[in-house]
Amino acid sequence: GKIADGQMLMYLYDINFHAYLINFHNFTTVQGMYEECAELGVSCITSQSAGTYVTGFREMRSYVESWLMWDLSLNYEDLVVKFMNAYYKDAADYMYEFYKIIRDRYTYYHTLINPGAGGIYGDVQNVQIWPQSVVAKMDEQFDAALKSIAKYKETDPQLYATLEARIMKENLMPLYLKLTLHSSYYSA
């Protein structure tokens, strides 16, 4: 920081390179990383995941992380809720619950089961993190999210299609977990 103050670029990784369809959990750490970058005099931050087209709340991350880059005094969770309400509309509460399931499972796993295993090459595709009961809870959130926007199918088909696509993009994670970890629980 003393040598290259204001001239450093920080490249952050926030995607898992073994399981692209599973959310990478840095939700609770990214703000601290940004604070450290500011202390070091970093003038530009770029993120591995921001430009990808996989699941993992990419749009939410871009929104929240952009705001934090401008103002580190903002609260990460407040920004998440603000984004969810604007982006998912009637389905916001259910998508936020899905986000919390992910966040809470990783916190549980990385705190109690396998501390320090959350890196970009970590094993995030395992039954200990994602037991069938947790995947079923995810499914419940998606069912409720889709039900909450069903009224737009007739009244505003364009809004319905937009919201459905946003929801279904994030639904790729539980679908992937069903196929890779829990296929014996589901019919063909």
Side-chain angles (χ1 to χ4, degrees):
K2 292 181 193 255
I3 296 170
D5 186 40
Q7 298 180 30
M8 287 192 297
L9 168 97
M10 186 65 68
Y11 191 84
L12 302 175
Y13 292 90
D14 52 1
I15 191 167
N16 181 281
F17 290 108
H18 292 298
Y20 293 107
L21 294 177
I22 298 177
N23 271 275
F24 183 75
H25 177 53
N26 69 338
F27 302 123
T28 54
T29 60
V30 71
Q31 189 162 4
M33 290 188 289
Y34 288 178
E35 289 166 354
E36 189 172 337
C37 287
E39 289 172 17
L40 294 171
V42 172
S43 60
C44 180
I45 299 173
T46 188
S47 170
Q48 174 78 28
S49 74
T52 62
Y53 296 98
V54 296
T55 64
F57 287 115
R58 296 293 171 235
E59 294 80 8
M60 180 200 75
R61 289 176 190 268
S62 293
Y63 174 84
V64 171
E65 293 172 17
S66 295
W67 273 104
L68 289 173
M69 286 182 199
W70 285 106
D71 185 353
L72 283 168
S73 70
L74 297 172
N75 179 279
Y76 191 97
E77 286 301 307
D78 291 345
L79 291 169
V80 169
V81 170
K82 185 176 180 182
F83 173 85
M84 296 276 184
N85 286 325
Y87 194 72
Y88 294 112
K89 310 252 181 253
D90 302 64
D93 290 343
Y94 307 109
M95 297 305 291
Y96 183 68
E97 285 301 315
F98 170 61
Y99 157 82
K100 285 189 345 187
I101 290 169
I102 295 165
R103 189 193 62 204
D104 294 348
R105 284 307 299 176
Y106 276 123
T107 300
Y108 161 77
Y109 183 74
H110 293 134
T111 303
L112 300 175
I113 306 300
N114 196 356
I120 60 174
Y121 295 107
D123 177 20
V124 297
Q125 184 176 332
N126 70 64
V127 176
Q128 285 184 305
I129 303 175
W130 312 114
Q132 195 278 330
S133 60
V134 169
V135 176
K137 286 181 183 176
M138 291 176 177
D139 261 353
E140 291 171 13
Q141 298 310 310
F142 283 99
D143 290 344
L146 291 170
K147 188 181 278 188
S148 74
I149 65 165
K151 63 186 171 205
Y152 296 121
K153 205 180 260 191
E154 299 299 321
T155 62
D156 192 341
Q158 187 175 3
L159 177 60
Y160 176 79
T162 298
L163 294 173
E164 181 189 38
R166 291 173 179 176
I167 292 166
M168 293 309 291
K169 179 181 176 189
E170 298 306 328
N171 194 28
L172 288 173
M173 179 186 170
L175 289 173
Y176 179 71
L177 292 171
K178 285 182 196 179
L179 291 170
T180 59
L181 299 179
H182 304 294
S183 60
S184 63
Y185 287 93
Y186 302 95
S187 67

